[in-house]
Amino acid sequence: MSISRRSFLKGIVATSAATLVGPGLLNVAKAATADSAGQWKVSGSHWGAFRARVYAGKVQEIKPFEADKYPTEMLNGIKGIIYSPSRIRYPMVRYDWYLKRHKSDTTLRGDNRFIRVTWDEAIDLFYQELERVQTQYGPWALHAGQTGWRQTGQVHSCGNHMERAISMHGYSVKKVGDYSTGAGQTIMPYVLGTTEVYAQGTSWPLILENSKTIILWANDPVKNLQVGWNCETHESFAFLEQLKAKVANKEIRVISVDPVKTKTQNYLDCEHKYINPQTDVPFMLAIAHTLYKEKLYDKKFLDTYALGFEDFIPYVTGEGKDKVEKTPEWAEAICGVKADEIRDFARLMAKHRTQMLFGWAIQRQQHGEQPYWMGAVVAAMLGQIGLPGGGISYAHHYSSIGVPSTGAAGPGAFPRNPDKPDDRIHKNNDFKGYSSTIPVARWVDAIIEPGKVINANGAKITLPDIKMMVFSGCNPWHHHQDRNRMKQAFHKLETVVAVDFTWTATCRFSDIVLPACTQWERNDIDLYGSYSGRGIIAMQKLVDPLYQSKTDFEIFTMLARRFGKEKEYTQGKGEMAWVKELYDGCVAANKGKFEMPDFAKFWQDGWVDFGTGPNWTRQADFRKDPEINALGTPSGFIEIFSRKIDRYGYEDCQGHPMWFEKAERSHGGPGSDKHPIWLQSCHPNKRLHSQMCDSEEFRATYAVQGREPIYINAGDAKARGINDGDLVRVYNDRGQLLAGAVISENFPPGVARIEEGAWYGPTDNTIGAIDTYGDPNTLTLDKGSSQLAQATSANTCIVNYEKFTGEAPAVTSFGGPKEMA
Amino acid sequence: MSEMQQADNWHETRASLYWWLATLFTKELDKDEFKRYSSGEGRDFIQQLAADDELQTGALAMLSALSKLTVLQYPELELAADFSQIFLTDKKAGAPPYASVYRSESGLMMQQPHQDMVNLLQQQGLAVTKDFNEPADHIAIQLDYIGNVIMRDAEQVSPEQIDFIEQQLLSWVPEFATASHKVTNSGFYQGACDLLAQFIKADLADIKAPVASV
């Protein structure tokens, strides 16, 4: 007798399951539209604009926007972001925090179990904590001001939503500065009158036409121009292509001053001037020495346009306090550039029109203010500031700066500030002696040493006793330094809320995790070309929010609803009403200058093209008339010597640019006997910071044994028995990580690179645990650049590395939290 | 009970089992639901299942887990944390309940198995409820769906029904069940996964086997 269907399940009565069966998950649907191939929609991103084919509710295909002549390969990673296994699918709360709230065991943060909650419950918990912290402590205990690169889209700008909602509830600690340009943006207003880093620069056509020499100083535009703050146009690449031709024709000499042979240098096939890491200031001081001694500097320019040269030059000639003459020989011993080469370099710069183009990584080191200041001094001595193709730029590698501006107005944004700033639920703005604003990179210091008084940009800051933090589209467990120190700090925080769409390490170290959706799951609008103002782009929603994710707009509206301010928060407008309002505002601002179609047509067409703009020279108006067009410095002139900074009395940032030895430095500097390798953690080539690291297939195009690459020198590798593709343990006194070795001739002895944005994945949450993926900030120094900017010093970092043997721990960075064994 | 009556109840029993399993994988048990499992009709039901040779292993594991959990201070929260730990994470750490993760080469979400389910649902004029909003290859959706098909087919098991159980369920559920054991916690959901795999295997064998002659 066969096993009959009637004997299987014989003893079970259907009805006994009936009470245990929940509601059905399927209902009747409308007939699907006959859409055999799908629909093409337009959208944008930091990586550029594109068209996406959506079929059966899924993004199937992405192709570059036709106006983009130089699309980045990173478009291939976008689908992987949307469908990443690291997506946060539901609101989650750390289990121990769920049980005990602010009395939870905070040492468990980082790899604790999470429990799923409903949206209502999650927002309730968020709101209750805001209430508790405001009433039990006060505004000084809440820090909800850290920001990141967010996603693109002016309506759904995540930082704006967080700040507006929280500000409508009460006061809190804010920050000043950012991790990108903290030192640079703080020093440059004293020197040239603006931040310089976020300002349009001399147009590329003028540089190509007039410069005879271009100095790329620690600058890799070919790598960095792949991304942009708004929807990136990549218009700069057309000019870089022209530059490449001019280099080949020997019309323009381009010299890359850098320890590393950069992507740009290799693309342009230009010259390389090797320099020891972190020693740019001695090199520049010696250049100044040569210019001065050989009378190659423009005295008339300095007399007319600059202040304080006479107070600065004794430092160079050896007649200053330190009595050290900054000769090329003096500089050679530090920077590794031969004295004669330094002299030749200075002479070359003075000979013809020279354009100096600085990158940002150089100011992300200790005393990062100095190389920027000194660069401006050299430029002033050359006397070409304000001439087309001369002077100095600190931003031609960023967001299409250098592409001429059309002058068109872009769309505004969802407001960051409350409409009625005084009308908060909690009106208490007594910070009890703590500062209400802190330098952005000093928040970990605040948690570890509350009450400590530090100097920052002429003021005294009393670091607040932070109890609760809220992060929205911000990943400090990527961009802040010294992971193990952060772990310590996070033992002290009572409550951490993170809003994001992917399980970053920041989310893993949080208590309440709220799933936002990606920018492709909502409708929005963006400026096409942050500085060129090329156009306006429609960001047409590709698919509905996945899983239980919501837009930032919805999330913070829900929060505002808790304290009765929903209508005020949204101004009574939904998503598309906001998109239209921002568009209409743009139309009004461009009236008479740029013709724009009505909103419906714009949305259907997908974009408005403003074309190209006229050429422009930075500081030309100042040069033309320094009285009328005075710079924004205290005197209105270029300040080689700053009386204001001098009066602050800071040891590590004085009245004029100086060389300060670093806390740690390779190539003969402090600590180099123990840790001989300089670890450079510059912006990645195949990510936007940490964004796109979670795109599995795309990460596979560069990961080595599933880990982040470490680029190393062949000789250094050989000495350590390391072959290309080996796993490497990288370490110093602050931490250790595993990375995959890539031997490259672009890297000189004593230099290694791990790109920042590599997702942190420690083996466990104990302090000192090895990072399994290769996050360089496991090893970096958490110290302010100086008392001026108190900015990040990530590139002041020395390490050693060795071949890793034995069984390598699995990578833990991706896919969400997991419990510790 | 006559054989005709058994036949009538039989497809209802099958459907209700698929639906019961769908419910278990849809979401965590709340406090009341947990009580029914620790001491009420839920426990009774699993005990019935434990009496069946095919389903014994999984059912016993679930009962054992319930006993352990009941003595804890917050048993339903513990169980919810277990659920999250196994199902709400990625495939390295646990067992995400989506066919694509196990049946696609990349192991990513929303691959061809998902597309197949979307097409199938569309053909049948069905859609996933907005509340649930999961990719269509979520185990709970597949189980819900097949329960509907079984009820529709009644005694006449259709080739389509056999096909679905074989191609869309048995093709990945055993691996899914194995994956759930990556995680060590109460064992309730690991047991449920094992029971699911055992049930589907036995059910498929059963409906493919010839009916015993009267």
Side-chain angles (χ1 to χ4, degrees):
Chain A
M1 176 103 149
S2 60
I3 305 164
S4 87
R5 47 182 65 161
R6 294 183 190 94
S7 69
F8 174 48
L9 304 180
K10 194 171 191 167
I12 294 147
V13 180
T15 50
S16 40
T19 56
L20 304 168
V21 172
L25 302 174
L26 299 168
N27 50 26
V28 174
K30 313 186 290 207
T33 50
D35 211 346
S36 56
Q39 232 198 325
W40 282 95
K41 296 189 180 188
V42 80
S43 191
S45 68
H46 291 299
W47 300 279
F50 58 86
R51 293 198 185 268
R53 182 171 63 86
V54 182
Y55 174 63
K58 189 177 176 201
V59 178
Q60 303 286 349
E61 195 187 327
I62 285 184
K63 66 177 184 196
F65 194 58
E66 49 287 358
D68 188 344
K69 304 302 177 204
Y70 297 88
T72 164
E73 63 177 329
M74 284 193 267
L75 285 183
N76 296 331
I78 287 179
K79 281 199 299 176
I81 292 178
I82 302 172
Y83 300 112
S84 172
S86 298
R87 282 291 295 264
I88 306 169
R89 308 204 288 268
Y90 323 95
M92 304 284 273
V93 177
R94 187 167 65 89
Y95 185 47
D96 198 63
W97 193 94
Y98 186 81
L99 294 176
K100 302 174 203 150
R101 305 291 182 90
H102 59 279
K103 296 197 160 81
S104 76
D105 181 352
T106 54
T107 65
L108 295 176
R109 277 206 190 100
D111 272 309
N112 200 193
R113 299 165 94 194
F114 278 76
I115 193 170
R116 173 165 63 172
V117 298
T118 62
W119 268 107
D120 275 338
E121 198 172 2
I123 300 290
D124 282 342
L125 290 169
F126 185 5
Y127 170 61
Q128 283 160 20
E129 279 303 288
L130 290 175
E131 280 289 304
R132 181 185 67 84
V133 169
Q134 290 287 1
T135 47
Q136 199 179 316
Y137 299 115
W140 47 266
L142 173 64
H143 186 29
Q146 295 279 325
T147 51
W149 261 70
R150 75 209 205 335
Q151 301 184 82
T152 59
Q154 294 293 96
V155 173
H156 292 280
S157 199
C158 60
N160 289 15
H161 283 279
M162 174 188 74
E163 293 205 39
R164 180 175 169 83
I166 293 198
S167 297
M168 289 172 74
H169 181 257
Y171 291 87
S172 60
V173 174
K174 299 274 177 240
K175 57 90 179 170
V176 64
D178 57 46
Y179 283 78
S180 300
T181 63
Q185 63 171 268
T186 306
I187 183 70
M188 293 319 292
Y190 290 95
V191 182
L192 289 178
T194 81
T195 62
E196 296 298 301
V197 291
Y198 298 133
Q200 179 58 289
T202 300
S203 302
W204 273 113
L206 295 176
I207 297 176
L208 291 169
E209 204 182 320
N210 295 286
S211 305
K212 284 279 176 287
T213 307
I214 295 176
I215 311 292
L216 291 167
W217 206 300
N219 193 358
D220 198 354
V222 170
K223 166 170 69 73
N224 294 338
L225 286 165
Q226 295 180 86
V227 299
W229 179 252
N230 298 96
C231 190
E232 185 48 45
T233 58
H234 303 120
E235 293 166 288
S236 300
F237 285 95
F239 300 115
L240 291 171
E241 200 176 325
Q242 290 175 40
L243 180 58
K244 182 179 164 77
K246 286 189 182 274
V247 169
N249 289 340
K250 303 203 188 311
E251 288 173 52
I252 300 181
R253 267 183 91 169
V254 178
I255 306 174
S256 174
V257 179
D258 205 305
V260 166
K261 291 188 194 148
T262 64
K263 189 176 183 185
T264 303
Q265 176 189 330
N266 287 324
Y267 169 74
L268 293 174
D269 195 18
C270 67
E271 298 169 53
H272 182 219
K273 179 66 71 191
Y274 167 81
I275 182 172
N276 286 337
Q278 303 192 79
T279 65
D280 307 86
V281 172
F283 184 13
M284 286 190 268
L285 285 167
I287 289 170
H289 185 275
T290 304
L291 293 174
Y292 183 71
K293 287 291 186 185
E294 297 186 10
K295 301 210 191 316
L296 296 171
Y297 71 105
D298 191 334
K299 187 170 190 307
K300 185 155 182 283
F301 180 88
L302 292 175
D303 289 341
T304 314
Y305 299 100
L307 197 68
F309 183 71
E310 329 68 49
D311 300 309
F312 161 72
I313 202 63
Y315 175 74
V316 174
T317 58
E319 291 156 84
K321 265 193 302 183
D322 66 345
K323 299 283 182 262
V324 174
E325 193 175 353
K326 309 303 183 293
T327 61
E329 284 72 16
W330 165 85
E332 176 181 337
I334 304 169
C335 72
V337 184
K338 294 219 179 335
D340 285 340
E341 287 180 27
I342 295 177
R343 290 191 172 89
D344 284 342
F345 195 86
R347 291 164 192 154
L348 174 68
M349 292 179 91
K351 189 166 181 191
H352 308 296
R353 190 68 53 88
T354 299
Q355 177 72 60
M356 296 167 74
L357 301 174
F358 273 58
W360 288 351
I362 197 177
Q363 50 88 52
R364 281 194 220 107
Q365 60 171 300
Q366 213 186 358
H367 316 116
E369 300 89 344
Q370 304 303 317
Y372 270 28
W373 196 351
M374 192 58 212
V377 172
V378 169
M381 290 176 77
L382 292 173
Q384 298 174 15
I385 291 175
L387 292 176
I392 184 166
S393 161
Y394 301 90
H396 270 69
H397 61 285
Y398 172 62
S399 294
S400 61
I401 282 175
V403 177
S405 301
T406 56
F414 184 87
R416 175 190 306 186
N417 295 316
D419 298 341
K420 295 181 216 159
D422 297 329
D423 188 23
R424 307 183 192 217
I425 302 292
H426 291 270
K427 296 187 173 24
N428 176 21
N429 64 350
D430 180 4
F431 284 76
K432 294 259 187 280
Y434 293 118
S435 294
S436 58
T437 303
I438 59 173
V440 69
R442 305 275 62 80
W443 59 281
V444 172
D445 289 353
I447 299 168
I448 292 180
E449 295 178 281
K452 181 177 180 186
V453 179
I454 62 169
N455 289 317
N457 206 15
K460 290 229 177 280
I461 302 290
T462 305
L463 296 175
D465 192 6
I466 302 170
K467 302 287 186 195
M468 175 175 178
M469 291 188 74
V470 181
F471 300 104
S472 174
C474 174
N475 191 7
W477 284 85
H478 135 244
H479 60 244
H480 193 76
Q481 284 58 60
D482 197 344
R483 292 285 171 262
N484 289 308
R485 189 163 187 259
M486 289 175 75
K487 277 181 171 176
Q488 263 184 301
F490 270 58
H491 290 174
K492 294 186 75 182
L493 286 173
E494 289 183 359
T495 299
V496 185
V497 179
V499 183
D500 212 312
F501 60 82
T502 185
W503 276 104
T504 61
T506 298
C507 293
R508 290 169 69 181
F509 276 83
S510 297
D511 304 310
I512 302 173
V513 178
L514 304 177
C517 60
T518 70
Q519 59 192 71
W520 304 293
E521 295 155 60
R522 53 193 201 208
N523 291 302
D524 215 323
I525 183 174
D526 203 5
L527 176 61
Y528 189 48
S530 301
Y531 289 87
S532 65
R534 172 68 189 275
I536 309 291
I537 193 126
M539 295 177 65
Q540 300 163 345
K541 174 160 69 170
L542 302 184
V543 290
D544 285 331
L546 266 56
Y547 319 110
Q548 295 289 327
S549 70
K550 291 186 183 297
T551 68
D552 297 274
F553 191 174
E554 283 179 82
I555 295 170
F556 285 100
T557 299
M558 286 166 65
L559 179 66
R561 191 178 300 147
R562 291 302 187 277
F563 46 92
K565 285 195 183 278
E566 176 183 355
K567 187 117 188 280
E568 261 180 72
Y569 180 76
T570 65
Q571 293 182 359
K573 296 190 282 265
E575 178 191 68
M576 280 314 282
W578 271 102
V579 175
K580 182 172 188 296
E581 174 163 312
L582 294 188
Y583 180 78
D584 289 344
C586 196
V587 173
N590 285 319
K591 198 174 168 87
K593 290 185 284 171
F594 295 92
E595 190 67 45
M596 290 174 69
D598 68 26
F599 179 71
K601 180 144 201 324
F602 155 71
W603 195 252
Q604 189 184 20
D605 290 347
W607 75 307
V608 178
D609 185 359
F610 294 135
T612 53
N615 290 331
W616 179 81
T617 300
R618 186 158 187 76
Q619 283 129 4
D621 56 353
F622 167 68
R623 189 186 183 96
K624 185 163 174 211
D625 192 334
E627 301 272 328
I628 292 176
N629 305 313
L631 297 178
T633 57
S635 61
F637 296 104
I638 299 168
E639 296 205 1
I640 295 174
F641 187 94
S642 166
R643 295 199 187 113
K644 198 165 177 193
I645 296 179
D646 180 53
R647 280 199 292 266
Y648 295 157
Y650 299 152
E651 190 64 43
D652 52 11
C653 188
Q654 301 184 18
H656 60 73
M658 290 170 65
W659 160 242
F660 298 101
E661 183 58 270
K662 309 290 164 238
E664 51 191 78
R665 183 172 67 83
S666 58
H667 297 81
S672 56
D673 44 354
K674 193 173 171 200
H675 298 112
I677 307 288
W678 176 59
L679 181 67
Q680 178 193 50
S681 50
C682 62
H683 188 274
N685 185 33
K686 286 193 168 190
R687 292 189 289 264
L688 163 62
H689 294 299
S690 69
Q691 293 188 37
M692 205 173 269
C693 196
D694 49 341
S695 188
E696 297 280 308
E697 283 182 25
F698 197 70
R699 187 174 75 250
T701 64
Y702 59 83
V704 174
Q705 290 199 47
R707 329 273 164 163
E708 186 67 12
I710 178 170
Y711 298 94
I712 57 182
N713 169 267
D716 289 347
K718 188 160 183 223
R720 292 164 173 76
I722 295 172
N723 292 313
D724 194 77
D726 281 348
L727 276 188
V728 171
R729 185 179 80 99
V730 190
Y731 60 91
N732 61 18
D733 293 336
R734 290 182 290 269
Q736 48 172 348
L737 61 84
L738 287 179
V742 175
I743 296 178
S744 165
E745 58 183 24
N746 293 323
F747 291 81
V751 173
R753 170 187 291 186
I754 303 179
E755 293 170 342
E756 44 93 342
W759 279 31
Y760 182 54
T763 47
D764 57 58
N765 56 340
T766 59
I767 293 181
I770 194 167
D771 172 50
T772 60
Y773 180 71
D775 174 6
N777 278 320
T778 310
L779 305 171
T780 50
L781 174 66
D782 186 9
K783 195 175 155 74
S785 54
S786 78
Q787 292 170 85
L788 190 80
Q790 294 285 6
T792 178
S793 300
N795 283 318
T796 296
C797 180
I798 52 177
V799 303
N800 205 347
Y801 57 84
E802 64 188 14
K803 181 170 167 149
F804 182 83
T805 50
E807 176 130 9
V811 172
T812 67
S813 314
F814 308 100
K818 65 168 185 62
E819 190 189 75
M820 287 322 311
Chain B
M1 206 182 305
S2 78
E3 281 183 356
M4 277 304 284
Q5 278 181 303
Q6 278 183 328
D8 285 345
N9 291 337
W10 165 79
H11 74 266
E12 285 172 354
T13 303
R14 290 178 61 225
S16 65
L17 256 157
Y18 277 106
W19 285 336
W20 169 69
L21 286 161
T23 303
L24 272 184
F25 291 108
T26 297
K27 64 179 179 64
E28 305 85 333
L29 302 176
D30 64 29
K31 206 166 176 174
D32 291 331
E33 287 161 348
F34 180 80
K35 278 214 192 74
R36 281 193 262 150
Y37 279 97
S38 64
S39 58
E41 66 269 35
R43 188 181 187 90
D44 293 341
F45 181 67
I46 302 177
Q47 275 168 339
Q48 285 182 46
L49 299 178
D52 188 299
D53 288 341
E54 312 277 358
L55 309 178
Q56 192 170 76
T57 326
L60 287 178
M62 291 172 80
L63 290 169
S64 163
L66 286 168
S67 304
K68 277 194 288 186
L69 285 163
T70 310
V71 299
L72 299 176
Q73 192 180 8
Y74 304 107
E76 76 286 356
L77 293 182
E78 281 294 325
L79 191 56
D82 285 358
F83 184 100
S84 158
Q85 211 182 346
I86 300 172
F87 302 128
L88 306 189
T89 179
D90 88 323
K91 68 173 162 44
K92 285 205 199 81
Y98 309 89
S100 292
V101 173
Y102 306 89
R103 290 181 56 204
S104 70
E105 209 182 292
S106 60
L108 298 176
M109 299 278 283
M110 303 189 71
Q111 303 299 299
Q112 193 57 45
H114 168 255
Q115 189 62 56
D116 292 344
M117 279 304 297
V118 168
N119 294 342
L120 183 60
L121 291 178
Q122 246 175 33
Q123 279 164 28
Q124 302 297 319
L126 295 169
V128 180
T129 60
K130 269 274 171 244
D131 280 345
F132 194 51
N133 204 35
E134 289 281 350
D137 63 340
H138 189 291
I139 184 64
I141 295 170
Q142 291 192 320
L143 295 172
D144 189 310
Y145 174 75
I146 195 61
N148 292 344
V149 173
I150 291 168
M151 288 304 285
R152 183 200 68 196
D153 285 353
E155 307 150 59
Q156 298 286 74
V157 176
S158 63
E160 183 225 43
Q161 185 189 130
I162 295 176
D163 210 58
F164 186 89
I165 296 173
E166 191 160 43
Q167 303 299 333
Q168 299 298 333
L169 286 172
L170 196 59
S171 54
W172 68 282
V173 168
E175 203 187 321
F176 167 57
T178 307
S180 71
H181 288 274
K182 271 185 228 167
V183 180
T184 307
N185 49 34
S186 70
F188 180 84
Y189 285 109
Q190 290 87 336
C193 287
D194 286 343
L195 190 147
L196 172 72
Q198 289 150 11
F199 171 62
I200 292 172
K201 197 160 163 235
D203 188 54
L204 181 66
D206 207 49
I207 57 178
K208 283 170 93 170
V211 180
S213 45
V214 177

